Amino acid sequence: MTVAEVCSLMAVAQELGGNEAFRRFMRVASAKGIKVIVDFVPGHVSTEHPMVEYAFQGNNRALKLFVHREGKVSTRLDAEGKFEIATLNDGEMRTELIFPDIKKSNWVTITLPDGRQVSVFRKFLDQQRPDALGMQFDVSGHWLSQGVSGIRAD
């Protein structure tokens, strides 16, 4: 897992002190008049995120939250090895490899319990889907209820 992949969009990682440490931080910041803005990365979730797990188990509702294509996506790197070019049914998709020394592809191909192969793009929430946007609004509401003054979404 990388720093851009989160397991829970509504929890602070334990290695950073967890939710209780965040609540203590917020109390101290508030007492000192400091406004807090959180950085929210809704698109890059870990394979350990529950929605990814549900999708990979064949839950169609969860799978539809992510940018995906039926079947295995064929990919190749550009001449510099920095961009991946995926051949899709509806054309080509050129994307930068964010961590090229860690991940060799932006696509993960899985075989669902019913035998279908599906390729999922970076475990990326599909911003075109109302369900995915609804999840992001829920997460934003959660952090605002924790007392943050703003949210930076990436």
Side-chain angles (χ1 to χ4, degrees), residues 44-108:
H44 310 276
V45 293
S46 165
T47 52
E48 297 168 21
H49 187 281
M51 282 301 150
V52 174
E53 291 178 352
Y54 296 145
F56 284 14
Q57 292 166 4
N59 180 306
N60 282 326
R61 184 169 182 263
L63 183 60
K64 288 179 182 177
L65 292 173
F66 298 94
V67 175
H68 71 285
R69 297 292 190 275
E70 292 290 327
K72 184 168 175 46
V73 170
S74 171
T75 64
R76 67 185 189 286
L77 294 179
D78 70 349
E80 297 173 20
K82 186 174 180 180
F83 288 89
E84 178 180 42
I85 301 160
T87 304
L88 308 172
N89 294 340
D90 51 351
E92 288 190 337
M93 180 177 177
R94 181 181 169 93
T95 55
E96 185 172 8
L97 287 172
I98 297 175
F99 303 107
D101 46 336
I102 298 172
K103 294 190 177 188
K104 301 301 178 202
S105 177
N106 288 318
W107 292 87
V108 176

Side-chain angles (χ1 to χ4, degrees), residues 121-132:
F121 178 72
R122 280 194 196 157
K123 299 162 309 276
F124 223 66
L125 291 173
D126 187 344
Q127 305 299 318
Q128 305 296 317
R129 297 213 34 96
D131 293 3

Side-chain angles (χ1 to χ4, degrees), residues 21-22 25-26 30 32 34 37 39 43 49 55 66 72-73 81 103 105 112 114 124 128 134 136 140-141 149 151:
F22 183 77
F25 169 76
M26 289 301 298
S30 178
K32 295 180 182 263
I34 298 171
I37 297 173
D39 190 23
H49 187 281
F66 298 94
K72 184 168 175 46
V73 170
K103 294 190 177 188
S105 177
L112 300 175
D114 64 7
F124 223 66
Q128 305 296 317
Q136 292 176 33
S140 297
S149 296
I151 297 170

